[in-house]
Amino acid sequence: MLPGIKPAGVCVLMIVSISLLQGAEEPASVKNGWAAQPQGKYEFLQAPYAADEEAAIRQSLPFRRIKLQRFGQPDILHGGRAVNEYVEFHANGKALLHAISGSNRDGVYTGTIDLRNYARLCLLYEALIQEAGTPEKFGHEIQSSHPVISELTLTFTGSQPDRIHRNDFNFGDFKFWVFENVFGNLESRVKWEKVEE
């Protein structure tokens, strides 16, 4: 009986060894430390809140204003002017689009942004800054590269000075690109109304 057990034991040891070796070859998973559910000042995103709580929630958010300005190369279809426009989202719900030049929507437009969407934008920025390590590592501009640049300006709710990040369209920071795409998605949902000049 013992001789029959020995080959079976060797077989089991080989299977265990092979599976351990295969497991060692797989790369270790990278954890970014992001919470699966918003916590702290963003916890309200997980549940309904009363209408009388909205003003206090808006004041608790870290940024009073988030502004994204885009500078681009000359647009031949619009008189050869370089694209220069900016969109501002404010904690109070106000949205402003100012197309300075080179855009198919030149002029000033206003709209509103939902509290939850604004808060999600604040949360995303804070998570991406945490991922970057420091604010200085968010965004990247190469002076001799393509002239399409985006500039993000965050105005804090407190007395801190504005924080500005710039990113190059072709060779910039991927984290900035993610933020800009979410920002653009929210911008496209705003019902813009042109301001009469």
Side-chain angles (χ1 to χ4, degrees):
M1 200 168 207
L2 283 173
I5 294 175
K6 192 172 185 182
V10 170
C11 186
V12 169
L13 281 174
M14 286 177 51
I15 292 171
V16 169
S17 298
I18 290 170
S19 48
L20 286 175
L21 286 174
Q22 286 177 343
E25 292 174 5
E26 293 178 13
S29 64
V30 177
K31 298 200 179 208
N32 59 19
W34 294 12
Q37 302 294 321
Q39 300 170 351
K41 62 184 169 267
Y42 299 111
E43 198 167 345
F44 77 93
L45 291 169
Q46 297 304 309
Y49 56 87
D52 61 347
E53 294 177 299
E54 186 169 332
I57 292 171
R58 286 185 183 278
Q59 289 178 353
S60 74
L61 295 173
F63 309 108
R64 192 174 71 234
R65 177 189 72 146
I66 302 173
K67 174 184 173 185
L68 183 65
Q69 186 162 5
R70 300 175 186 102
F71 306 90
Q73 58 189 347
D75 185 351
I76 297 169
L77 296 175
H78 294 93
R81 298 179 299 160
V83 174
N84 185 356
E85 67 178 18
Y86 66 84
V87 175
E88 292 181 5
F89 292 140
H90 294 256
N92 65 8
K94 178 183 172 185
L96 173 70
L97 184 153
H98 191 161
I100 300 163
S101 68
S103 173
N104 58 0
R105 54 185 183 187
D106 282 354
V108 179
Y109 297 79
T110 59
T112 58
I113 183 169
D114 176 70
L115 169 59
R116 289 183 186 277
N117 285 335
Y118 186 81
R120 288 179 183 128
L121 202 56
C122 293
L123 174 60
L124 175 63
Y125 174 80
E126 289 190 322
L128 290 170
I129 287 297
Q130 182 180 358
E131 187 75 17
T134 65
E136 294 77 27
K137 293 182 181 176
F138 184 73
H140 182 67
E141 181 182 358
I142 300 173
Q143 297 299 329
S144 62
S145 65
H146 196 278
V148 179
I149 303 291
S150 296
E151 183 177 274
L152 177 64
T153 305
L154 297 113
T155 304
F156 288 87
T157 301
S159 59
Q160 292 176 262
D162 287 357
R163 183 180 288 168
I164 298 172
H165 304 280
R166 289 172 65 93
N167 202 53
D168 185 277
F169 181 77
N170 286 332
F171 309 106
D173 179 19
F174 183 76
K175 293 178 293 300
F176 191 108
W177 179 84
V178 169
F179 183 87
E180 187 173 9
N181 275 275
V182 172
F183 189 100
N185 187 3
L186 295 178
E187 176 189 341
S188 69
R189 294 181 188 180
V190 174
K191 293 180 181 175
W192 296 107
E193 294 183 16
K194 189 164 187 177
V195 176
E196 297 297 327
E197 297 180 29

